[in-house]
C-alpha cells in the first residue's frame, strides 16, 4: 500500500475520505445501525442465492444427467460462458464513476438475476426450454445476483453514503449464513424432499428439486432486493444529509446528471 499514490481530491470527492479501520465490532455495529434494514434484506437474499449456487455446484453432474446430457464438454462450455459473463458484469460496474448510480445498478442487476432464475425455471417446467439451457441460464441468474453483491455492493454503499466504516463483519455473516443455509438445504433434500415429492407425484431427482428451490429462492430474493433498494435509498440519503449535504445533491436524479462526479 505504501507504494501506491494517495487518493486525489477527485477520489475523495467521489468516495469520501477513508481512514484506517478501527474496531470491526464497533464499526460493524454502526454500519448496521445506519443501514440495517437494507443490509438485512440484501444479506438474506445473498445467502439464499449462495445456498442455491452451492447446491448447483455440488449436483451439477446429476443435474445434467437428469436432463439427458452426459457429455463432459457440456460442463466446461456452460461454466466457461458463465465465467465470461460475470467478469464482464463486474468489470462494467468499475466504469461507473458515481457510487450512487453504480450502487443502484448493482441492485437492479441482482433483481434481474433473481427474476431470470424464476422465469427460466418456469420455462423449463412448461417445456419451453431445454434442460442444458435451463441449467446454464439459472446459473447465470444466480451469479448475476450473487457475485455483484458479494464483490462490490457494500463498497459502493460506503462510497455513496460517504461512510468511514468497514464491511468486514458483513462478509463473515454472509459466509456463515451461506454455509448454514447449504447444510439445512441438504438435510431437507435428504430427509424431507423424498416424502414431499412422493406425496405430490414428483420425480425425486436432482433437477426437480433444483427447479423447485430455484422458484422459491428467485421469487423471494427478487422481493427482498426490491424492498432493500428503497431502504438503501432512504438510509444513504439520510447518511449524506447527516454529513451536511443538501437534499438536492443526494437524490438519484441529481446523481445521474452529475456525470460520475458525485
Amino acid at each position: 500500500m505504501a507504494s501506491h499514490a494517495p487518493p486525489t481530491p477527485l477520489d475523495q470527492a467521489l468516495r469520501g475520505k477513508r481512514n484506517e479501520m478501527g474496531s470491526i465490532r464497533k464499526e460493524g455495529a454502526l454500519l448496521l445501525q445506519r443501514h440495517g434494514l437494507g443490509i438485512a434484506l440484501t444479506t438474506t437474499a445473498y445467502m439464499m442465492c449462495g445456498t442455491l449456487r452451492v447446491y448447483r455446484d455440488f449436483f451439477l453432474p446429476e443435474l445434467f444427467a437428469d436432463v439427458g446430457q452426459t457429455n463432459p464438454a457440456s460442463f466446461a462450455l456452460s461454466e466457461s460462458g458463465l465465467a465470461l459473463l460475470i467478469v464482464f458484469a463486474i468489470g462494467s460496474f468499475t466504469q461507473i464513476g458515481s457510487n450512487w448510480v453504480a450502487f443502484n445498478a448493482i441492485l437492479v442487476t441482482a433483481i434481474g438475476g433473481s427474476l431470470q432464475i424464476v422465469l427460466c425455471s418456469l420455462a423449463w417446467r412448461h417445456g419451453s426450454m431445454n434442460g442444458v439451457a435451463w441449467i446454464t441460464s439459472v446459473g447465470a441468474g444466480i451469479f448475476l445476483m450473487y457475485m455483484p453483491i458479494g464483490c462490490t455492493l457494500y463498497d459502493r454503499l460506503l462510497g455513496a453514503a460517504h461512510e468511514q466504516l468497514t464491511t468486514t463483519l458483513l462478509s463473515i455473516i454472509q459466509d456463515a449464513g451461506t454455509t448454514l443455509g447449504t447444510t439445512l438445504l441438504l438435510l431437507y433434500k435428504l430427509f424431507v424432499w423424498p416424502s414431499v415429492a412422493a406425496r405430490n407425484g414428483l420425480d425425486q431427482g436432482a433437477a426437480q428439486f433444483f427447479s423447485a428451490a430455484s422458484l422459491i429462492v428467485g421469487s423471494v430474493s427478487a422481493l427482498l432486493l426490491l424492498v432493500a433498494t428503497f431502504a438503501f435509498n432512504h438510509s444513504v440519503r439520510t447518511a449524506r444529509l447527516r454529513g451536511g449535504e443538501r437534499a438536492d445533491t443526494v437524490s438519484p436524479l441529481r446523481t445521474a446528471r452529475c456525470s460520475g462526479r458525485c
Side-chain angles (χ1 to χ4, degrees):
M1 294 295 293
S3 63
H4 291 185
T8 65
L10 178 58
D11 292 332
Q12 294 193 17
L14 288 171
R15 300 177 60 83
K17 185 178 179 181
R18 294 293 183 91
N19 295 326
E20 293 183 5
M21 183 179 68
S23 167
I24 293 179
R25 182 178 60 83
K26 291 181 179 180
E27 292 189 9
L30 186 57
L31 183 66
L32 292 175
Q33 177 185 335
R34 295 178 178 176
H35 307 282
L37 177 57
I39 289 173
L41 296 171
T42 304
T43 301
T44 301
Y46 176 92
M47 292 187 298
M48 292 179 66
C49 266
T51 299
L52 190 64
R53 178 196 69 82
V54 173
Y55 177 87
R56 181 181 179 275
D57 289 349
F58 284 175
F59 293 93
L60 191 59
E62 289 84 353
L63 290 172
F64 273 100
D66 279 0
V67 299
Q69 181 58 260
T70 58
N71 184 1
S74 299
F75 306 142
L77 290 174
S78 66
E79 301 311 289
S80 297
L82 291 183
L84 291 175
L85 172 66
I86 297 307
V87 168
F88 174 79
I90 298 298
S92 66
F93 294 131
T94 66
Q95 303 304 308
I96 304 176
S98 168
N99 286 291
W100 188 238
V101 173
F103 181 73
N104 281 278
I106 292 168
L107 288 170
V108 169
T109 301
I111 293 172
S114 300
L115 293 176
Q116 180 172 316
I117 295 171
V118 175
L119 294 176
C120 291
S121 295
L122 288 173
W124 177 74
R125 285 195 162 200
H126 288 85
S128 303
M129 177 178 286
N130 68 56
V132 174
W134 164 60
I135 294 170
T136 304
S137 298
V138 169
I142 291 172
F143 281 102
L144 284 174
M145 182 275 172
Y146 179 81
M147 292 299 293
I149 290 179
C151 291
T152 60
L153 179 72
Y154 293 126
D155 183 65
R156 289 290 196 167
L157 170 63
L158 295 181
H162 290 184
E163 301 276 23
Q164 299 181 41
L165 301 171
T166 177
T167 61
T168 302
L169 180 63
L170 299 182
S171 299
I172 297 172
I173 294 173
Q174 287 175 341
D175 291 342
T178 300
T179 301
L180 176 61
T182 301
T183 302
L184 294 176
L185 184 69
L186 294 177
L187 289 173
Y188 178 87
K189 182 180 185 298
L190 183 62
F191 295 107
V192 181
W193 174 249
S195 61
V196 173
R199 187 167 57 249
N200 293 278
L202 300 175
D203 178 18
Q204 296 185 22
Q208 193 64 240
F209 179 80
F210 183 63
S211 69
S214 296
L215 289 173
I216 295 173
V217 169
S219 301
V220 175
S221 294
L223 180 60
L224 292 176
L225 291 170
L226 179 62
V227 178
T229 301
F230 289 100
F232 276 129
N233 270 270
H234 175 73
S235 65
V236 171
R237 182 182 177 88
T238 300
R240 294 183 67 168
L241 288 174
R242 187 187 304 115
E245 299 183 42
R246 301 197 324 272
D248 62 349
T249 67
V250 294
S251 69
L253 181 60
R254 171 71 172 82
T255 303
R257 288 174 175 171
C258 68
S259 302
R261 295 187 175 275
C262 59

